[in-house]
């Protein structure tokens, strides 16, 4: 049996310094089962501005919470930990491949999503103030390439500088290569193109964020930055708010956490837009606005065949005390062969994950929408996607050739297949 513990810090609403929140202990038994234990500190509970890290799973109180879900790492904490990409960078930097959940939490630098921090000291550290700048993107892109190719990192005099550069951005989640950079006004996530990408991902994602905006969705702010002969997508961080000489931080919970789901295919029964709408009704301070927005995002993903819309690609944030749906991010089309049936990652109606208008409409009441309202939203969005995807893509610099590659992602025939008619022919 092994056991490791750390302290959890938070930047409270309106503040720019960390305070200590809790102690978190992770124990792994001889069968490899990990149990996490979390207990709020007495001094934190005595604060009159204390907020819970998760309003349902980790309510404010003096009891010890424990979980074996998500390898023992409570969702609210796991959301502040890196995923595939960040973990790969940490492994590369440390030269180790035997790292556990606690190592990833502690090894990743203080630029993680949300308002939390982790450390071994009961007293919180000063928050990070120095970030890579957009001018460093050339070097950051080179480093990302080295990591993708699994080549050796430069050593000698350069090594220290490389280590510093690499640290930034590793705390953010996701699989694609990325880094966090700062310009005069904000922090941005730079998402790099990979040499083996099938099309220019940066420009296509930028186009999808803008197409979403045309469809009445609230996307994250973004822009394209050309680095050498390659493009990168810069997405403005919505969990940071610039102050005079620092940043305020919003708490952030992924949909995976809200749904109390594991990140595995076996647990996919819990991956559901319908259940997520119910969770939004519970947590959001603007329920109807957010469930309507979620409905739009679900329809949009169906209309652009964004089948990678997994629960970490949705989140709620709280810059102050109130929670609301975050801006939309990570929208990518996936032009599949199938014309009749494409499935989203989350259940969207009575017919499961089927990206089909009737299916999307079947549970619209759970999104607090009248049937007519829901129908109008779908009809309007379908018309906009069909009419504008190409125009928006070209405007955002997606080449003609790349447009051809992604064309069959949009408003595919199965979106309008009549489910009842199919069911009837199958039974007769
Ligand atoms: N604008 C933003 N502000 C704050 N956090 C963000 C923003 N965009 C993304 N994130 C966080 O960073 C994570 C990774 O971002 P994103 O999903 O765009 O990367 P990705 O590598 O394409 O992901 P995937 O593995 O789903 O393909 C998200 O899951 C979310 O937690
Ligand atoms: Mg993602």
């Amino acid at each position: 049996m092994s056991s490791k513990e750390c302290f959890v810090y938070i930047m409270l609403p309106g503040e720019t310094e960390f305070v200590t929140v809790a102690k978190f202990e992770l124990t792994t038994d001889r069968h490899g089962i990990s149990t996490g234990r979390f207990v709020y500190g007495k001094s934190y509970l005595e604060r009159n501005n204390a907020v819970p890290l998760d309003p349902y799973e980790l309510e404010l109180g003096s009891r010890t919470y424990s979980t074996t879900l998500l390898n023992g790492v409570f969702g609210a904490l796991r959301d502040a930990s890196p995923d595939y990409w960040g973990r790969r960078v940490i492994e590369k930097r440390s030269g180790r491949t035997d790292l556990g959940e606690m190592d990833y939490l502690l090894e990743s630098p203080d630029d993680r999503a949300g308002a939390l921090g982790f450390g071994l000291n009961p007293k919180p550290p000063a928050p990070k103030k120095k970030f890579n700048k957009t001018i460093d993107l050339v070097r950051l892109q080179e480093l990302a390439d080295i990591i993708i190719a699994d080549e050796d990192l430069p050593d000698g005099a350069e090594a220290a500088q490389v280590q510093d550069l690499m640290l930034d951005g590793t705390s953010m989640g996701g699989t694609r290569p990325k880094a966090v950079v700062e310009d005069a006004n904000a922090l941005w996530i730079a998402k790099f193109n990979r040499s083996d990408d099938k099309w220019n991902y940066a420009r296509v994602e930028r186009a999808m964020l803008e197409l979403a905006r045309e469809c009445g969705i609230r996307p994250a702010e973004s822009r394209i930055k050309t680095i050498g002969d390659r493009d990168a997508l810069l997405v403005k961080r919505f969990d940071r708010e610039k102050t005079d000489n620092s940043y305020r931080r919003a708490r952030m919970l992924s949909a995976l956490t809200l749904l109390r789901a594991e990140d595995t295919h076996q647990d996919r029964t819990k991956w559901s837009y319908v259940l997520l709408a119910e969770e939004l009704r519970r947590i959001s301070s603007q329920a109807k606005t957010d469930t309507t927005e979620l409905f739009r995002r679900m329809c949009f993903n169906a209309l652009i065949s964004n089948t990678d819309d997994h629960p970490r690609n949705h989140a709620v944030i709280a810059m102050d005390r109130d929670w609301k749906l975050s801006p939309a991010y990570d929208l990518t089309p996936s032009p599949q062969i199938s014309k009749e049936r494409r499935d989203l990652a989350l259940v969207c109606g009575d017919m499961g994950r089927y990206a089909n208008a009737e299916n999307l409409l079947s549970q619209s009441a759970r999104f607090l929408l009248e049937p007519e309202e829901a129908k109008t939203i779908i009809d309007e969005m379908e018309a906009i996607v069909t009419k504008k995807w190409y125009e928006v893509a070209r405007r955002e610099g997606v080449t003609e050739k790349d447009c051809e590659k992604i064309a069959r992602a949009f408003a595919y025939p199965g979106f309008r297949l009549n489910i009842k008619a199919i069911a009837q022919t199958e039974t007769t």
Side-chain angles (χ1 to χ4, degrees):
M1 192 164 103
S2 73
S3 178
K4 291 181 173 177
E5 61 178 40
C6 73
F7 290 91
V8 184
Y9 320 116
I10 192 171
M11 201 169 280
L12 286 164
E15 300 195 355
T16 53
E17 299 291 332
F18 279 125
V19 296
T20 305
V21 179
K23 205 144 122 185
F24 173 59
E25 183 192 29
L26 196 60
T27 311
T28 306
D29 70 15
R30 59 196 170 86
H31 305 292
I33 307 282
S34 295
T35 306
R37 288 188 183 79
F38 175 100
V39 56
Y40 282 110
K42 229 173 122 215
S43 61
Y44 183 71
L45 291 173
E46 280 164 4
R47 287 180 172 275
N48 55 16
N49 61 349
V51 290
L53 303 199
D54 178 327
Y56 307 115
E57 196 177 34
L58 300 172
E59 274 177 61
L60 289 176
S62 55
R63 58 170 285 208
T64 301
Y65 292 95
S66 82
T67 187
T68 50
L69 273 179
L70 292 166
N71 294 322
V73 185
F74 291 88
L77 311 185
R78 178 61 184 80
D79 287 337
S81 187
D83 290 331
Y84 175 78
W85 175 256
R87 290 176 183 221
R88 217 166 142 197
V89 179
I90 291 171
E91 285 159 12
K92 188 88 186 166
R93 192 166 47 88
S94 65
R96 287 176 56 190
T97 49
D98 60 342
L99 300 170
E101 291 293 333
M102 188 67 100
D103 302 307
Y104 292 121
L105 271 185
L106 292 171
E107 291 287 321
S108 44
D110 173 32
D111 59 4
R112 59 189 77 249
L116 304 187
F118 304 90
L120 295 175
N121 199 322
K123 281 219 171 67
K128 179 179 161 116
K129 290 246 167 83
K130 213 173 136 281
F131 295 93
N132 285 330
K133 306 289 174 200
T134 39
I135 197 163
D136 299 315
L137 279 168
V138 179
R139 201 75 183 94
L140 288 164
Q141 183 174 261
E142 279 168 21
L143 285 171
D145 288 345
I146 288 174
I147 290 164
I148 291 166
D150 212 15
E151 286 164 11
D152 289 338
L153 292 165
D155 54 19
E158 246 193 321
Q161 190 209 355
V162 165
Q163 297 259 342
D164 274 1
L165 275 170
M166 266 175 53
L167 271 172
D168 282 281
T170 51
S171 305
M172 300 303 294
T175 14
R176 293 195 56 87
K178 57 177 74 63
V180 172
V181 288
E182 186 180 43
D183 69 4
N185 304 311
L187 285 179
W188 301 78
I189 301 171
K191 295 180 76 174
F192 300 116
N193 279 346
R194 296 174 53 122
S195 56
D196 54 356
D197 283 339
K198 291 197 218 96
W199 53 79
N200 186 332
Y201 265 64
R203 289 207 181 253
V204 169
E205 188 172 340
R206 158 81 190 157
M208 293 306 103
L209 290 166
E210 289 311 296
L211 186 62
R213 192 189 302 285
E214 305 258 352
C215 288
I217 288 166
R218 183 168 53 88
E221 207 181 299
S222 68
R223 65 182 156 99
I224 292 289
K225 173 94 184 151
T226 306
I227 308 161
D229 59 354
R230 274 155 68 185
D231 293 321
L233 175 70
L234 263 55
V235 191
K236 190 173 175 182
R237 286 189 63 171
F238 46 67
D239 60 339
R240 293 290 184 274
E241 205 175 77
K242 186 109 175 92
T243 62
D244 284 347
N245 64 351
S246 193
Y247 289 94
R248 276 200 280 270
R249 304 185 185 199
R251 283 170 288 153
M252 194 160 155
L253 291 175
S254 70
L256 195 70
T257 296
L258 287 180
L259 293 167
R260 307 285 162 228
E262 292 274 355
D263 204 358
T264 57
H265 282 254
Q266 294 89 302
D267 217 34
R268 272 188 156 207
T269 43
K270 291 190 201 149
W271 291 20
S272 159
Y273 281 109
V274 182
L275 295 177
L276 184 54
E278 306 269 346
E279 290 305 326
L280 281 181
R281 287 163 65 174
R282 203 149 76 111
I283 197 171
S284 171
S285 58
Q286 43 176 45
K288 165 92 192 217
T289 305
D290 282 354
T291 51
T292 308
E293 173 82 14
L294 182 68
F295 185 78
R296 280 185 187 275
R297 292 184 192 178
M298 169 177 83
C299 298
F300 186 74
N301 288 336
L303 283 163
I304 70 158
S305 304
N306 177 16
T307 51
D308 192 30
D309 55 336
H310 58 79
R312 278 193 217 281
N313 282 338
H314 300 277
V316 290
I317 53 170
M319 190 51 90
D320 298 308
R321 293 190 84 87
D322 291 344
W323 290 92
K324 61 179 189 211
L325 192 62
S326 79
Y329 57 90
D330 203 6
L331 305 176
T332 30
S334 166
Q336 304 175 356
I337 310 279
S338 165
K339 290 201 173 82
E340 292 198 346
R341 176 158 186 156
R342 295 180 188 173
D343 279 5
L344 297 182
L346 276 71
V347 168
C348 28
D350 296 344
M351 290 273 292
R353 305 185 151 76
Y354 191 5
N356 169 280
E358 264 181 65
N359 190 33
L360 302 176
L361 284 169
S362 66
Q363 290 287 337
S364 56
R366 311 265 288 271
F367 295 78
L368 304 175
L369 292 168
E370 296 296 330
E372 271 312 306
E373 219 179 341
K375 198 172 157 303
T376 309
I377 289 176
I378 292 192
D379 292 351
E380 283 175 3
M381 285 182 57
E382 184 187 24
I384 294 169
V385 168
T386 309
K387 190 161 155 268
K388 292 213 169 154
W389 77 263
Y390 176 78
E391 180 190 317
V392 173
R394 295 293 285 143
R395 185 186 76 204
E396 298 302 335
V398 179
T399 60
E400 190 68 49
K401 217 166 136 208
D402 280 356
C403 281
E404 268 170 42
K405 289 185 195 156
I406 59 172
R408 51 165 199 262
F410 303 100
Y412 82 110
F415 184 77
R416 281 295 176 185
L417 264 190
N418 185 326
I419 299 176
K420 286 194 197 92
I422 301 171
Q424 261 164 16
T425 35
E426 275 171 4
T427 50
T428 51

